[in-house]
Amino acid sequence: MTPATEEKTTSAAEGFADAAESLRDALIAIRRELHSAVEIGLDLPRTQEILLRELADLDLEVTRGEGLTSITAVLRGGRPGPVVLLRGDMDGLPIAEATGLPFAATSGAMHACGHDLHMAGLLGGARLLAARRDELAGTVVFMFQPGEEGQAGGRLMIEEGVLDAAGARPVAAYALHVDSATPQGQLVTREGAMMASASALRMTLHGTGGHAAFPQLGIDPVPVAAQLILAAQTFAARRLPATDQAVISITRLSSDSEASNVLAASVFLEANIRTLSMTTLDTVRAELPAMLAGIAEANGCRLETEFIASYPVTYNDPAETREVLSVLDDLLGVDRVTRLAAPSMASEDFSYVLQEVPGALVFVGAAPDSGPMPLHSEHAVFDDGVLPLQATVLAELAWRRLARG
């Protein structure tokens, strides 16, 4: 980087922070409007309407999704350069809010994972970068994505062409995710695996049923189901390397018996599977169903299985992440930037973007003054005073990556 470029970058950083602070009240107001208007899944018409309204005066190339209410907005800088993508997710969760906030949602859905802040922060980043359009050395794609909470909206947007929206594929992609359990303004990330893959194994265990007084006359699948549950836990502990473990949790268990004196003819189970590498996921997918089917057969039962692959591992490209950490250290100081020691076993569908484009996901602390709050809780509260920081970080990451060419 030449001295002239360094001077320009430093000037931009100072300007972004000041300009973001001037947007504070507007960003908080937008976030609270989005919070109250929360919608779930892939069809978010009211949320899309609010975002389109806020983007309307920025002179961006805006397109809407075809199979989902996504928004792709392209900002072309005044100077030639590559493409960078910034992502914010849009959907809430089917949770009845119990925060008591004056802007709390009343529809039975809730932004309990902070996606309202993600949208408002990305809008702020778009405003900061659009104001410096003439100086911008390249193009920024703003990806507003529905369906993060289990519907794979990121994958659907990729299939609809978000990565090609600017005409050239992005050289890097970044996303921020607020965390209501991390102190306000603290930024957290790591190289490599950042979050786990998420998959499910659905199982139907068939016995014969019968009279509860005469179990010897039939094949009762219920005690066999108990064996399968214990075997799944043993699989994770004994069939996988200690350095690359998986979390296997039985999350659903039911039988077809509706009377206390009737043995079930079948039992339904579902396992949630989290891994930190595709190698381990492949092992689990190939070996776990076979092992469980063998146990079922040894007990006279038959096991049907269906493996459902969901989000892949969220993998932060090491080189890009080192650059991100350098930018964050420069902006905030090393005391406010945490190198995460181990990945989170939660999952994220920004993983689909990071499979295609090198980049990084960063957590931003947004814990309220009242103390840490868990995500996905009806009581989850976020300090939206963090929004100017979100906007600044997103704008700065894009600006500096484009400046690197």
Side-chain angles (χ1 to χ4, degrees), residues 8 19 39 41 52 139 146 153 182 192 211 259 269 276 296 303 335 380 389:
K8 184 182 288 283
E39 298 164 298
L52 290 171
T139 299
T182 298
H211 197 299
L269 308 92
L276 294 172
L303 184 68
D335 291 343
L389 174 63

Side-chain angles (χ1 to χ4, degrees), residues 362-387:
V362 179
F363 281 98
V364 182
D369 291 338
S370 57
M373 300 291 294
L375 296 173
H376 289 216
S377 163
E378 68 269 24
H379 300 290
V381 175
F382 302 84
D383 186 341
D384 52 18
V386 77
L387 284 168

Side-chain angles (χ1 to χ4, degrees), residues 115-138:
H115 296 186
D116 48 339
L117 280 87
H118 300 171
M119 290 181 281
L122 187 54
L123 284 169
R127 288 202 169 276
L128 295 177
L129 291 166
R132 292 178 171 270
R133 180 193 313 268
D134 292 344
E135 304 170 64
L136 190 65

Side-chain angles (χ1 to χ4, degrees), residues 205-209 219-221 264-267 300-302:
L205 180 65
H206 297 282
T208 63
I219 299 175
D220 182 3
S266 61
V267 174
C301 292
R302 179 173 59 87

Side-chain angles (χ1 to χ4, degrees), residues 146-199:
E148 193 281 326
E149 298 289 357
Q151 295 81 28
R155 175 175 56 79
L156 296 175
M157 286 192 71
I158 291 171
E159 290 173 358
E160 290 195 352
V162 66
L163 299 182
D164 301 303
R169 283 227 157 183
V171 296
Y174 307 115
L176 302 184
H177 196 305
V178 293
D179 181 17
S180 55
T182 298
Q184 206 264 12
Q186 194 76 18
L187 284 95
V188 181
T189 193
R190 73 187 308 272
E191 297 177 32
M194 179 70 177
M195 300 180 75
S197 69
S199 304

